[in-house]
Amino acid sequence: MPQITVDYSENLESAFDRRSFALALHPLIAETVDTRLSACKTRFRRVDETVVAGGTPDDAVIHIGIALLPGREPELKAQLSEAVLDLLADHLKAGVEPVLSAEVRDLEPSYLRR
């Protein structure tokens, strides 16, 4: 725990410093939700096609999903979402303006880790 998934549009491949973002994200999450840094895991998934609104060729999206063990208050989850979006902006090349979103949710009771 936390399980972090970052979906990003293919056209952001060279405009999004993913590794640097993850290395900055993990301490932010660990401090905000009071967990161990070593528990943070991030995987990136490139999305081959993205359409936003009217569908221009420059459409781009980054969505960050963070799944935590249950028990955090909704206000803390909202605070973390806001902080993640602020951090994300620092890891995009200048002039790149994708649609950014973040969601913090509880892991299902079936979650296991080995």
Side-chain angles (χ1 to χ4, degrees):
M1 193 272 324
Q3 296 289 329
I4 306 147
T5 305
V6 180
D7 295 314
Y8 67 96
S9 299
E10 179 181 34
N11 57 349
L12 295 174
E13 191 75 32
S14 64
F16 176 28
D17 187 349
R18 295 176 300 283
R19 181 169 179 78
S20 175
F21 173 68
L23 292 173
L25 179 64
H26 293 173
L28 172 69
I29 292 173
E31 182 178 319
T32 303
V33 302
D34 192 26
T35 192
R36 297 179 334 270
L37 180 66
S38 62
C40 295
K41 300 162 279 313
T42 297
R43 64 182 178 272
F44 293 90
R45 300 186 299 198
R46 186 183 72 211
V47 178
D48 292 334
E49 186 170 355
T50 305
V51 179
V52 177
T56 67
D58 295 331
D59 286 349
V61 174
I62 299 176
H63 175 75
I64 299 146
I66 302 170
L68 305 170
L69 291 174
R72 274 55 177 219
E73 295 295 323
E75 296 81 15
L76 181 65
K77 292 177 187 176
Q79 175 189 344
L80 180 56
S81 290
E82 186 69 35
V84 167
L85 292 178
D86 289 344
L87 179 68
L88 180 56
D90 296 337
H91 295 273
L92 296 170
K93 283 188 178 176
V96 175
E97 296 184 19
V99 174
L100 306 177
S101 61
E103 174 189 22
V104 179
R105 63 176 180 80
D106 291 342
L107 286 162
E108 293 296 321
S110 61
Y111 173 77
L112 295 174
R113 179 179 169 221
R114 293 186 187 192

